[in-house]
Amino acid sequence: AHGAVLVPYLGLFDLLVLVALAGALRAWGLGFDLPNLYHPDEYVHVTIALRILKTGSYNPHFFNYPTLFFYILAFLGYIPYFLAYASRGLLSNLDGLTLPVEVIPRDVAITHMPSEFLVGRLLVVVFALGTVVLVYWIGRKLYKRQVGFIAALLLAVSPTHVRISHFITPDVLMTFFVTLAVLLACQVMLSGRRRDYILAGATIGLAATTKYNANIALVLLI
């Protein structure tokens, strides 16, 4: 009985350790290179998100990726960012959000508001930490607590995942939705409720509207 009572607390402790470790690795050096921008995708993506807000047009005029990443960056990243600055009297309207300027076309740019990029990178980190939590729950649901912890630990310290979590690109967001789809597909396997099918299908749709190649996640549900 005492062991059963302790399990939820042990699970919470596991998550706190994993999130702290993953967060520390991903927050380390998050402001790299600023105000210089040497990752060509980052300043392109930030420019698209800011233009969505500044013009009110939802057309990104860029379809190398689907549109969900840009909408999330604009509405979950830059609307709170603007409101925080406006509440302190630092910005009076959306025109105050400056776009990065290309120094070498398609190669190097510079930003006059480095905090815009810190906000975008922090948003990516949030989804990266969410992915670590999802991996933990998948392992725990299918096997046991120790399996979930080890699996999530491997993702938390993964050099590839740590690296891409520093960039404002859709890769981490897609991985989050695909991992959530894995969890929901497991729930379909375990219970088979209609609600689980709907949620799994919707999540796969979100993954596919983040990056086109995430369509393969449909295999999980089938």
Side-chain angles (χ1 to χ4, degrees), residues 5-203:
V5 171
L6 282 174
V7 167
Y9 296 100
L10 290 173
L12 179 60
F13 178 76
D14 286 348
L15 288 175
L16 289 175
V17 170
L18 291 166
V19 169
L21 175 61
L25 291 174
R26 287 155 181 78
W28 185 273
L30 201 62
F32 70 93
D33 292 337
L34 295 176
N36 302 307
L37 305 166
Y38 297 112
H39 191 300
D41 292 341
E42 274 200 303
Y43 66 81
V44 171
H45 298 163
V46 169
T47 298
I48 292 169
L50 291 175
R51 280 178 176 164
I52 287 173
L53 290 183
K54 291 162 73 75
T55 65
S57 171
Y58 296 117
N59 184 352
H61 302 283
F62 178 89
F63 298 101
N64 289 15
Y65 304 118
T67 55
L68 182 62
F69 174 70
F70 305 120
Y71 297 151
I72 287 178
L73 184 59
F75 297 116
L76 295 185
Y78 292 127
I79 285 182
Y81 172 81
F82 169 76
L83 292 175
Y85 269 67
S87 66
R88 296 162 56 192
L90 300 176
L91 290 175
S92 58
N93 55 57
L94 291 171
D95 291 335
L97 298 175
T98 61
L99 302 180
V101 178
E102 283 189 331
V103 177
I104 302 175
R106 300 182 181 179
D107 194 11
V108 179
I110 189 169
T111 176
H112 299 296
M113 293 185 71
S115 54
E116 290 177 343
F117 283 80
L118 280 175
V119 166
R121 291 172 183 175
L122 280 171
L123 184 62
V124 170
V125 168
V126 169
F127 282 101
L129 298 183
T131 309
V132 172
V133 173
L134 290 174
V135 169
Y136 172 80
W137 282 112
I138 292 168
R140 182 165 179 166
K141 180 178 287 289
L142 292 183
Y143 300 100
K144 55 184 179 179
R145 168 178 160 254
Q146 292 89 336
V147 173
F149 183 85
I150 293 171
L153 177 63
L154 290 173
L155 179 62
V157 300
S158 163
T160 300
H161 199 261
V162 170
R163 179 178 180 273
I164 64 173
S165 297
H166 283 75
F167 303 136
I168 307 173
T169 61
D171 304 280
V172 167
L173 183 63
M174 179 198 70
T175 305
F176 171 82
F177 283 126
V178 170
T179 307
L180 180 57
V182 172
L183 178 61
L184 292 169
C186 291
Q187 194 61 38
V188 168
M189 179 182 69
L190 295 173
S191 65
R193 293 172 299 184
R194 179 178 296 180
R195 182 186 68 183
D196 299 324
Y197 279 97
I198 293 171
L199 290 174
T203 303

